[in-house]
Amino acid sequence: MRRRRTLTLRGTGALLAGLGCVIAANLLGAAILLYVGILLLAVTALSILVVVLPRRSGTVTRQVSTDLITVSETSRVTLRFSLRALRMPRGLWRDVLPDAVTGDAAGEYPSETGRLSYLITGVRRGVWPVGPLVLRTVDPFGLAQREQEFGETRTVTVVPEVFTLAPLTVRVGAAGGTAQTSSSRLGQGSDNLSPRRYISGDSMRRIHWRATAHRGQLMVRQEEEESSPDALVVLDRSAARWAASGTEVDPAFETAVSLCASAAVHLMQEGYGVDVIDSAGVLLGTLRGHEDDRDGLLVALALVSPRGDSRDLASLVGGTPPGPLVYITGEIDEEDAALLRPFGAAAPMLFATAPKDGAETAATQRGWRFAALGEDIAEAWEDVLPERQTMSTADRRGDADVQG
């Protein structure tokens, strides 16, 4: 529990004025200045005693209304505290917030046991600490103040925003968009599955997140129907594709992560079993219709950042080409696009936040449905749908006929 005691600006002025009056009284022989100086010093000392002497102790608990906060989503934080003090004056409270969330986490402190609440809004992905609670008391004259921290911090997970995307007009892939139908039949009793403790060697894909949160230890599903994914989402986070920004946030990468989450959730809702990996082949999440799959993916995406190198797409796709294949990358030129082959995917979709000249032409020649990814994620998704691609091709042919 950290304490800070300081004089306010007014208190510092009163202390200096008191000392000045005492010195001037000795130099000038003016008794009135001595009385004024002593009075100012005494009031300043009394103010310090008022904020220092009360002994404060107690407990603080903090609860967030949602376990995961989406970027731009609002959640409520509730503080319950029981603080004990000896005739402590009223003051101000504030909860320490990270830059990744915003909120009005301050107010007037009541002297009795109380309950406080405020709203926070997610600003940046990640896992961030909220707290501790800081109480600030000032003496009635405003000369001295004291700040004291109470309670522990609580972590808040801010996950990428998930956008609603337009449906695919044609069902493609091994399951043809029926994976969720079979998963839903299995998942209707997912809450009745008997989870067991995690054993070394168990697949992380089988972790039962809800049971884990409830019991405080890793739990896995005891029964799960294994099936091959028929949709694959690849997030290219190799450092070469993204601008080096140090500790600063790269807006283009944030958009790519948000599209990754949106595309995976959308494909799952359309009935596909979905695997989400990065360009190095690291599994970020799987969506098979279980209620905690989505949260597990969003938590993993809350922590990703540009790093490392990428592997050849052929090794990522494997021997069985998926139906929908979504590949999300950053800066890409014509040569990079020419080397990026979909390897038999039924619906290959390529998104790039910074495509250079010739990249789109090279990508479409390889069979990709290509779109430049800007701030509007939903619009970029619509740009790769078959009807939009057909219209775009027709427009280009019409322009060529006019020029001819």
Side-chain angles (χ1 to χ4, degrees):
M1 188 164 52
R2 189 179 305 171
R3 302 178 179 88
R4 291 187 293 271
R5 307 180 186 90
T6 59
L7 288 174
T8 64
L9 185 61
R10 182 186 300 178
T12 302
L15 178 63
L16 295 177
L19 292 174
C21 287
V22 171
I23 295 173
N26 291 328
L27 294 177
L28 302 176
I32 186 65
L33 292 179
L34 179 62
Y35 298 146
V36 172
I38 293 175
L39 177 62
L40 289 174
L41 293 176
V43 170
T44 303
L46 178 62
S47 298
I48 294 175
L49 292 176
V50 167
V51 298
V52 170
L53 285 182
R55 302 182 61 183
R56 294 181 286 188
S57 61
T59 59
V60 177
T61 58
R62 187 179 289 101
Q63 182 179 7
V64 184
S65 60
T66 54
D67 294 332
L68 305 179
I69 303 176
T70 303
V71 171
S72 76
E73 182 186 12
T74 298
S75 182
R76 180 171 294 277
V77 178
T78 302
L79 291 171
R80 292 181 175 85
F81 59 90
S82 175
L83 302 181
R84 296 171 294 279
L86 177 61
R87 301 184 65 180
M88 186 181 72
R90 298 175 70 88
L92 300 175
W93 67 270
R94 63 181 174 88
D95 217 10
V96 179
L97 297 181
D99 295 336
V101 299
T102 60
D104 185 11
E108 184 178 352
Y109 167 69
S111 58
E112 66 278 358
T113 298
R115 176 178 177 272
L116 305 170
S117 68
Y118 60 91
L119 298 176
I120 58 174
T121 302
V123 175
R124 190 167 73 249
R125 291 181 303 111
V127 179
W128 313 100
V130 174
L133 176 69
V134 178
L135 296 185
R136 176 177 176 265
T137 54
V138 182
D139 73 284
F141 298 106
L143 302 181
Q145 65 181 4
R146 177 188 184 186
E147 284 192 352
Q148 189 171 355
E149 297 178 354
F150 293 90
E152 303 295 332
T153 62
R154 177 194 168 99
T155 58
V156 172
T157 303
V158 182
V159 300
E161 188 171 3
V162 177
F163 292 88
T164 301
L165 304 179
L168 296 177
T169 54
V170 180
R171 300 295 186 181
V172 294
T178 61
Q180 180 162 332
T181 303
S182 60
S183 295
S184 296
R185 293 195 195 102
L186 177 64
Q188 286 177 1
S190 60
D191 287 340
N192 296 324
L193 290 177
S194 176
R196 59 170 174 81
R197 291 185 180 181
Y198 174 84
I199 300 175
S200 179
D202 284 336
S203 171
M204 296 298 289
R205 293 164 54 180
R206 299 183 61 188
I207 291 180
H208 195 297
W209 293 102
R210 175 161 297 196
T212 296
H214 179 70
R215 302 190 185 186
Q217 58 183 338
L218 282 177
M219 306 293 291
V220 297
R221 301 185 188 93
Q222 202 161 10
E223 298 178 8
E224 181 171 358
E225 181 178 319
E226 296 292 339
S227 60
S228 299
D230 50 33
L232 182 64
V233 179
V234 183
L235 175 63
D236 184 358
R237 57 169 173 157
S238 55
R241 300 296 185 199
W242 307 97
S245 55
T247 58
E248 297 182 1
V249 177
D250 182 359
F253 186 74
E254 297 303 306
T255 303
V257 173
S258 187
L259 173 59
C260 179
S262 302
V265 172
H266 176 71
L267 290 172
M268 179 195 70
Q269 292 172 344
E270 289 215 342
Y272 295 98
V274 185
D275 270 8
V276 183
I277 61 175
D278 67 10
S279 52
V282 177
L283 182 67
L284 300 176
T286 60
L287 301 179
R288 297 292 186 273
H290 295 287
E291 57 187 338
D292 54 342
D293 286 350
R294 180 179 183 274
D295 290 348
L297 171 63
L298 293 179
V299 170
L301 290 178
L303 302 174
V304 298
S305 60
R307 69 177 186 185
D309 299 319
S310 60
R311 288 169 47 190
D312 183 72
L313 185 55
S315 63
L316 301 180
V317 172
T320 305
L325 168 61
V326 179
Y327 195 95
I328 307 166
T329 187
E331 181 178 305
I332 186 172
D333 57 24
E334 182 177 1
E335 182 180 356
D336 295 328
L339 295 175
L340 199 61
R341 302 182 181 183
F343 295 98
M349 294 170 276
L350 174 60
F351 299 87
T353 60
K356 294 186 176 181
D357 293 340
E360 179 177 1
T361 301
T364 53
Q365 288 176 349
R366 289 297 186 187
W368 291 98
R369 300 174 187 171
F370 181 89
L373 179 59
E375 294 182 359
D376 194 332
I377 290 177
E379 182 179 2
W381 177 265
E382 291 181 4
D383 286 342
V384 301
L385 298 182
E387 63 272 18
R388 181 69 69 90
Q389 295 271 307
T390 302
M391 291 173 60
S392 178
T393 302
D395 291 341
R396 287 195 294 267
R397 289 176 179 174
D399 293 339
D401 292 340
V402 171
Q403 293 176 1

